[in-house]
Amino acid sequence: MAVKASPTLLSRTTLSVLPPAARPLITPGDNAMGLLHIGVGAFHRAHQAVFTEEAMAAAGGDWGIVAVAPRSADLVAQLRAQDHLYSVTSRSGDSSRTRVVGALTGTRHLPTEADDVLRLFADPAIKVVTLTVTEKAYRLDPTTGTLRMDEEIRADLAAQRAPVTIPGLLVRGLRARAAAGSPPVAIVCCDNLPGNGARVRGLVEFATDGGFGDWASYPSTMVDRIVPASTPSTLQRAATTLGVRDLAAVDTETYRQWVLTDDFPGGRPTWEAAGAILTTDVTPWEQLKLRILNGVHSTAAYLGALAGCDTIAETLALPGMANLLQRLITEDITPTLNPPAGVQVSTYGATVLSRFANPAIEHRTMQVAMDGSQKLPQRLVGTVRDRRRRGDLPAYAALAIAAWMRFTMGVADDGQPLPLQDPLADVIRAALPHSIDPSRPQAGSTGAAVRALLRLDAIFPTELAEDAELVAAITGWLDELSTNGAAATVKACTW
């Protein structure tokens, strides 16, 4: 797991060689903590860690972040070799700005350092626990929002081993904190779950038959920033700017947003000094973002992957795609929203499409398309359900569902394989009719596929599976995608 420090590697000893504009805004003390973060991936490093550093620079405080990697030992080793420093490059068009972030003060690897992670959880110096672990890690039933209890979680809760699941880690950590008599702590989910604070509270209460009362708070949040997976070009850009290598460099867009309910019993960084929005109700912001940004993102990812596009920006350049996505926003999604005061949905939607078209952000269609069974319920299914309950047929959202269904068959329009990376991959494949030809489904088989996939109650509510008009609309789109391909289908959407 070790990565050897080097004079050519980003670290505290090489900070002096960096361009002044690229140096960290703050360098917390070695023992600074306050924040324990679960999930040390690129999104956290480009979002919450940046907000935290800028908040300290603007308003003071010594809120060092100790980040826990649930899986990746390599990233922990890289960050340790760099004294937990890394760079974030914000890119827009031909311009970019690189700055080293100094908010991390420690890292832990959960599979090999679980005891230390639980000790940190119980440490009274920790005031806030934040999480970015993706939707699937919470093991919630998408249709009910309740915890899907399985053998791994039962083993975690029984303390038969080091915790390996996120629900198990949360419960074991809170138990350790209670046993230590430490003060209340805020548990802050920063993943794309509707009502994420209430959902995490619910899973803890379900797993413990009552939870921890008012001793732990669960603020709700909405986070927004496009952060693609780092590539060799990401590392090369950082090295060119910094003059030293950065093994943990991150690329991102310039846009960012963070909305939180202010419920932190032990205190928190002054995140509003860095632009965060503190509110009593995150719901309007959350729904706006989940349904427009995330819903449109998934739609573009499935259509783009089918059409052979490598990135979301390439997908937006397909003839007719921007118009189709605009109509999805205007005609299908907007009528289901109650936007935050002062926010114009049309302006927000235009901003989203502009961000997606940014060629500097190489967000892979396959990355966005991952884990569709966990993402569709809050990104697209809610929009379809709400429109149908009003008696409306959401044509473009139906196309988005059809594109996901075509994607699950595993073959792009040019015959290239499309790997189905999804926790329900086996269930989805088993639901598809055995007679269907994934390379070119015939009209007679698409209706059976639509009906079978809509009956997956972990993704779709029963009312949609039994909706004949909706089934016909999705089947029609799946026929078009199968016969003509995604690019031609999109181009023909001029009505």
Side-chain angles (χ1 to χ4, degrees), residues 114-115 117-119 121-122 152-179 204 207-208 212 215:
D115 288 345
V117 172
L118 293 175
R119 279 193 293 270
F121 225 114
E152 283 194 322
I153 293 176
R154 289 190 181 94
D156 281 355
L157 298 180
Q160 297 171 350
R161 58 167 187 215
V164 299
T165 68
I166 294 302
L169 173 60
L170 288 176
V171 171
R172 294 271 292 279
L174 289 170
R175 283 179 182 167
R177 194 171 180 92
V204 170
T208 57
F212 296 86
W215 176 81

Side-chain angles (χ1 to χ4, degrees), residues 426-485:
D426 291 341
V427 175
I428 293 167
R429 291 192 189 100
L432 288 167
H434 295 302
S435 59
I436 199 161
D437 178 1
S439 63
R440 190 64 65 185
Q442 300 301 307
S445 63
T446 53
V450 169
R451 290 189 294 273
L453 293 173
L454 284 178
R455 283 196 293 267
L456 295 176
D457 58 9
I459 307 173
F460 301 102
T462 302
E463 64 190 277
L464 299 188
E466 297 176 349
D467 185 332
E469 188 178 4
L470 178 65
V471 170
I474 296 173
T475 301
W477 282 121
L478 187 53
D479 283 343
E480 288 204 38
L481 291 170
S482 302
T483 303
N484 303 319

Side-chain angles (χ1 to χ4, degrees), residues 16 25 38 74 77 90 118 126 158 167 178 239 243 245 276 290 300 330 334 371 391 410 416 468 471 478 492:
S16 60
L25 298 178
I38 314 301
D74 289 344
S90 302
L118 293 175
I126 295 296
R245 292 184 301 137
L290 284 172
T330 303
T334 298
D371 304 330
Q416 294 298 309
V471 170
L478 187 53

Side-chain angles (χ1 to χ4, degrees), residues 21-27 50 53-55 57-58 97 99-102:
R23 295 173 188 172
L25 298 178
I26 53 96
T27 49
V50 171
E53 182 185 57
E54 292 187 8
R97 178 177 178 243
R99 183 169 61 78
V100 172
V101 176

Side-chain angles (χ1 to χ4, degrees), residues 226 292-293 296-297 312-313 316 351-358:
I226 297 174
I292 292 186
L293 185 137
V296 173
H297 217 190
I312 296 294
L316 264 288
T351 300
V352 164
L353 294 182
S354 175
R355 291 165 62 193
F356 288 172
N358 180 0

